[in-house]
Amino acid sequence: MALRDGTDVASFVERLADDDRHLADYLTEEVLDRQPGEIREFLLETSPLERLFPDLCDAVRDRDDSARILDELDHRALFTHRISAETPEYRYTSLVRDLLRMRLRATDPGRERLVLSRAAHWLADHGNPIAAGRHLVRAGATEELVAHTRRWTRTLYQHDDTATPLQWLATLGDAASASEDLALAHAFVRLTAGEQRTADTMLASIIDDPSSSEGARTVALAFRSLLVQSVLAPSLAAACAERALQRLAESDAELPEVLGLTSTATLTALCRCGLGLAALHDGRLEDGRAILDAAVAADAPASPMLCVQLLGAAAVAHAWSGRLLSAERLAHRAERLAAEHRGAHHRALADAYLALGHVARRRHELDEADAVLERAAAIARSNNRHVVSSAVVAERAAVALARAEWRSGLDLLARHATSGVPPPPRLLRSRLTAVRAQLHLRSGDLDRAGRVLADAARPLTGELAHVVIQVAVAEADWPRARKLIDDLPGGGTRRERIARDMWRAALEFSDGSATRGAHDMATVAAEAETDLDRALFLDAGPTVVAVLHAVPHGTSSGFVASITGIERPSVEHLDDLDQLSSREIDVIRYLPTRLTNAEIAEQLYISLNTLKTHLKHVYRKLGVQSRREAITAAEQLGLL
C-alpha cells in the first residue's frame, strides 16, 4: 500500500524496526524484482560502497553509465539519498545497504571483496587513502592492505594523522610484525602518537631479537634515542644514539625503508637530535646546543616533520642557554616549515612552542608567554610528552613569579609534583626546584626557600647556584654572597656568564662602590639587551633592580628603562596601607642594597634628613620597625 501510494521507498524501508526484519527482506526483494535488470545489477554491485560517485561506480563496475543510473535513482527517490546538492554524491540508507549486501553475498560471494578492492584503488589514486584503507580492511585484503600501509603511512604521519595508520597496523597484526619495515613503522607511529612505552617495548624487542637484520637494529636504535623526550633516561637515549651512529659509520648493512626516515643522512640527524636532547636534559646545555646546531647545519632530514622537530629542539637549546634571539629564529623556522607542509599544529612543534614561550617569558611578555606555552602544553598532553609538560610547568611557575603571584606559582608546582607524571630529567628537576625556591623567597619566606635549596641534589646547576646567591643577598649575608659569587665556575652558557657579571656588579654597588657598580651593571645590561633578557634582572630580585635604578640616564639605554619601568602589582587593595609616593618607592628600591642612608641620599640627590623623613613614612605605611622588615614587606607587596 505504501509503495503503491508513492511513499519514499528508501525512507520507508529504513524506518522498519528490527522486529520487522523479515518484512523488510520481503519488501526489498519485491522492490528489487520489479526493477530493470541494469538497475538491479547496479544496486547489488555498488552496495559495498560507503559513498556513490559516478566515476567510482564506473570503476568498480567497469562501465560508463553510472551517472545516468544515479540520476534516475535520485529522480525516482529510490534507494539513494543525495549527500550534496552541489556534487553528484549519494549514499544508500543504512538498512537498504545492509539488505543489498546480504543479497550480493548470497548470489555472488566473491563480488563484494572485488568491489571493495577496486574501490580502494580508485580512492587511493584520487587522493583519499583513508577511505581506501577502510575498504581494504572490510575486504580482508591483507596483502593489498600491507602495500597500502607502506604507501600511505608516511604521508599521513607528516600530516599528523597517526590514528589511521595505527588502525591499519592493528588490523594486519602478525602480518605487520613479520615485516621489519612495518614493525619499525608501527613502533615509530606509536612513539609519535604518545604511546611511548609501547613503542619502547617494540623497539627494544627488535634490537634484542637475534633474527633482526643489522639494518633493522640500527634503525630501531636511532628511533629509540628519541624516547629521551618521554620515557628514556638521557644516558640510555645517548647510548642508543651512539650505537646507531657507530653502526651507520662502520656497517654497509641495508637499511629498511621506514616512513622516509631511514637514509643514512636522516638517521644521522635523528641520532644527533636524540644526543643533543639527552645532553640538554642532563644539564650540559652548551654540549647539547653544539650537537643540535651541527644537526641543523647539516640540513639532512628528508622528512619535513623531523626537520621541524630538530629545529624545535635546537630552539630550546638556544633559549635555555640565554640565546633568545637565535632561539626565536629557529622556532619560527620550524613554524614556517610545518605550515608549508600543512602541519601548522603538528605535534613536532611542541619544542618550538616551548622555546617561544621561554623567550616571551624572559622578555617579560607574559601574556604572549601564556598563549604560546598553552600550545606546547596541549601538544604535550595529547602526546604524553612528559618532559615538555614538566618544562611548561616550570615556565608557568616563572610567569607567576614575574607577576608576583607567588601562591599561584607554588600551587601549580605542588599539583605537578602529585600528578603522577614520571620524574623529570636532571635539568628540569633543578629548574623546578629553582623557581620553587624563588617563589618562597619573593614571598618573604626565606627559611622555606633555604630548605628547598638544601634538599636539592648536588652538584647544583648554574641556575640553582644563582638562586642560592639570591637567598644569601636577601639574608644580608654579604660574606657568603661574595664567596658564592667567587666560586661560580667559569665558562658556562651565555646567560650564566652574564649573570655572573651581574652579581659582581651588584656586590660592588652594595659594598659602597656605587658609581663603579652602576657602571658595571650598565655594561651587563648592554650585553643582555641583544636578547632583551629582562628576566635576568627581574628574577634576580630587588637588589639587582635597585642597581639598575642607579644607572645614570646618560649611560643607560631604553632597555634599562624598560626593566625599571615595569609596573609592580598595586597595593591599593589594602585598606590599612596609605598610598606610597613615587619618591618613597624610589627609597624602597635601595633598601635591599648595602648602601648606607647617606649613600642612598646621595644616589637620590636629596639630603640625609630628607631621606630619614621618607624612611619614617615608609616604615609607618608598611607597618614595620626596621629596614629588614621593610624589605620583606615590600617584597610581599610586589614593590621590589
Side-chain angles (χ1 to χ4, degrees):
M1 298 264 316
L3 298 179
R4 187 164 54 244
D5 292 339
T7 299
D8 182 336
V9 175
S11 298
F12 173 72
V13 173
E14 189 167 29
R15 287 196 302 268
L16 291 174
D18 289 339
D19 291 342
D20 296 320
R21 195 72 179 183
H22 293 297
L23 176 59
D25 288 341
Y26 170 77
L27 291 173
T28 304
E29 291 172 8
E30 286 295 313
V31 173
L32 278 175
D33 288 343
R34 296 178 182 179
Q35 304 308 313
E38 67 170 1
I39 296 293
R40 288 200 306 272
E41 183 180 350
F42 178 89
L43 293 171
L44 293 171
E45 283 188 315
T46 59
S47 63
L49 303 179
E50 297 175 351
R51 294 286 189 271
L52 305 174
F53 308 93
D55 290 345
L56 173 60
C57 294
D58 282 346
V60 300
R61 298 171 59 235
D62 197 22
R63 300 282 294 273
D64 60 2
D65 57 357
S66 299
R68 176 182 58 79
I69 296 176
L70 283 169
D71 186 63
E72 181 178 347
L73 291 173
D74 183 44
H75 180 72
R76 295 168 57 191
L78 196 61
F79 295 107
T80 61
H81 281 311
R82 188 161 190 153
I83 296 174
S84 170
E86 289 76 26
T87 59
E89 180 180 357
Y90 306 85
R91 68 175 176 84
Y92 290 119
T93 56
S94 57
L95 184 55
V96 168
R97 179 194 61 206
D98 292 343
L99 295 171
L100 290 172
R101 287 178 185 173
M102 285 192 293
R103 172 68 73 87
L104 178 64
R105 292 165 189 164
T107 58
D108 193 348
R111 189 69 179 175
E112 182 176 15
R113 177 168 178 170
L114 177 62
V115 168
L116 290 168
S117 177
R118 286 179 175 178
H121 288 288
W122 187 91
L123 288 164
D125 290 343
H126 288 78
N128 195 343
I130 297 176
R134 289 198 302 268
H135 284 73
L136 290 175
V137 169
R138 287 175 48 212
T142 300
E143 292 184 5
E144 291 177 81
L145 184 58
V146 165
H148 186 76
T149 302
R150 284 196 175 105
R151 178 184 176 188
W152 289 104
T153 295
R154 173 181 177 180
T155 300
L156 294 172
Y157 156 71
Q158 289 177 348
H159 288 85
D160 208 21
D161 181 355
T162 56
T164 300
L166 285 177
Q167 291 172 358
W168 298 343
L169 290 160
T171 300
L172 290 172
D174 292 341
S177 302
S179 175
E180 285 186 338
D181 64 326
L182 287 181
L184 287 163
H186 196 175
F188 191 85
V189 173
R190 287 196 178 277
L191 183 158
T192 57
E195 301 178 30
Q196 291 93 345
R197 294 197 181 279
T198 301
D200 188 35
T201 300
M202 297 171 72
L203 292 169
S205 176
I206 294 171
I207 294 167
D208 297 336
D209 187 348
S211 67
S212 296
S213 68
E214 287 298 309
R217 285 199 188 96
T218 300
V219 173
L221 284 165
F223 285 178
R224 198 179 184 208
S225 71
L226 290 182
L227 288 167
V228 69
Q229 302 172 85
S230 50
V231 298
L232 217 59
S235 58
L236 183 53
C240 288
E242 287 166 353
R243 285 175 62 190
L245 288 171
Q246 183 178 6
R247 287 169 174 265
L248 289 169
E250 298 176 357
S251 173
D252 57 357
E254 183 178 356
L255 300 170
E257 162 55 34
V258 182
L259 304 177
L261 300 173
T262 52
S263 69
T264 298
T266 298
L267 284 177
T268 298
L270 192 150
C271 289
R272 286 177 176 168
C273 186
L275 270 177
L277 287 170
L280 285 186
H281 297 165
D282 198 40
R284 296 178 289 112
L285 293 177
E286 288 299 285
D287 290 345
R289 184 179 64 81
I291 294 169
L292 291 166
D293 281 350
V296 169
D299 198 26
S303 165
M305 290 307 112
L306 179 56
C307 288
V308 169
Q309 187 164 344
L310 190 56
L311 286 166
V316 169
H318 280 247
W320 287 357
S321 61
R323 301 171 182 269
L324 304 185
L325 190 60
S326 53
E328 187 176 39
R329 290 170 179 165
L330 287 163
H332 286 321
R333 279 181 61 188
E335 284 189 303
R336 288 194 299 271
L337 182 59
E340 288 171 7
H341 291 83
R342 293 185 292 174
H345 305 287
H346 199 282
R347 64 197 72 203
L349 282 168
D351 287 330
Y353 290 144
L354 174 61
L356 288 173
H358 181 88
V359 169
R361 196 264 302 174
R362 296 293 303 189
R363 291 175 174 170
H364 205 73
E365 298 165 355
L366 303 183
D367 290 342
E368 174 67 14
D370 282 337
V372 181
L373 289 170
E374 177 51 38
R375 292 180 217 161
I379 295 175
R381 287 192 299 269
S382 68
N383 197 31
N384 290 328
R385 293 278 298 276
H386 306 304
V387 174
V388 173
S389 293
S390 294
V392 168
V393 168
E395 292 293 343
R396 283 176 162 169
V399 169
L401 175 71
R403 288 182 169 137
E405 297 171 352
W406 304 298
R407 177 47 53 194
S408 173
L410 289 168
D411 288 346
L412 173 64
L413 294 173
R415 288 195 303 272
H416 180 69
T418 58
S419 64
V421 299
R426 176 173 176 261
L427 176 68
L428 289 177
R429 285 200 306 272
S430 297
R431 181 156 289 172
L432 290 163
T433 300
V435 71
R436 182 181 169 208
Q438 285 179 300
L439 287 162
H440 284 303
L441 174 61
R442 297 296 293 278
S443 70
D445 194 342
L446 272 65
D447 289 341
R448 186 163 294 182
R451 290 197 299 271
V452 169
L453 293 170
D455 293 339
R458 269 33 180 193
L460 296 178
T461 64
E463 193 166 3
L464 274 173
H466 288 280
V467 179
V468 173
I469 294 172
Q470 290 180 43
V471 172
V473 169
E475 293 173 339
D477 189 345
W478 298 103
R480 179 167 173 257
R482 177 176 290 281
K483 184 179 186 309
L484 288 168
I485 294 169
D486 290 342
D487 289 346
L488 288 173
T493 66
R494 167 181 165 80
R495 180 175 296 155
E496 289 169 345
R497 295 193 297 272
I498 298 176
R500 190 163 53 241
D501 293 339
M502 175 193 71
W503 283 116
R504 286 171 178 162
L507 189 63
E508 187 165 18
F509 184 92
S510 298
D511 275 343
S513 301
T515 302
R516 179 64 182 274
H519 176 272
D520 290 350
M521 189 64 77
T523 302
V524 172
E527 188 170 1
E529 184 175 6
T530 303
D531 293 289
L532 299 178
D533 192 351
R534 297 180 179 89
L536 181 72
F537 306 95
L538 294 169
D539 289 355
T543 300
V544 169
V545 175
V547 183
L548 284 177
H549 277 282
V551 173
H553 293 296
T555 61
S556 67
S557 66
F559 176 65
V560 171
S562 75
I563 299 171
T564 58
I566 288 176
E567 293 185 8
R568 309 305 296 173
S570 174
V571 296
E572 294 177 352
H573 62 283
L574 297 179
D575 295 335
D576 58 346
L577 181 64
D578 292 333
Q579 183 66 45
L580 291 161
S581 70
S582 60
R583 179 55 80 182
E584 288 164 353
I585 291 175
D586 289 338
V587 170
I588 288 173
R589 285 169 176 157
Y590 280 95
L591 295 183
T593 70
R594 293 182 67 184
L595 296 180
T596 65
N597 286 351
E599 290 168 336
I600 293 175
E602 182 181 350
Q603 291 294 318
L604 294 174
Y605 301 102
I606 59 177
S607 69
L608 179 58
N609 286 336
T610 300
L611 177 74
K612 289 180 178 179
T613 300
H614 286 317
L615 283 173
K616 185 186 298 184
H617 293 163
V618 166
Y619 289 1
R620 177 180 60 80
K621 292 177 180 181
L622 294 180
V624 299
Q625 301 295 323
S626 68
R627 183 169 177 170
R628 178 66 259 168
E629 290 177 356
I631 293 171
T632 300
E635 287 178 344
Q636 291 174 337
L637 294 168
L639 298 172
L640 291 174

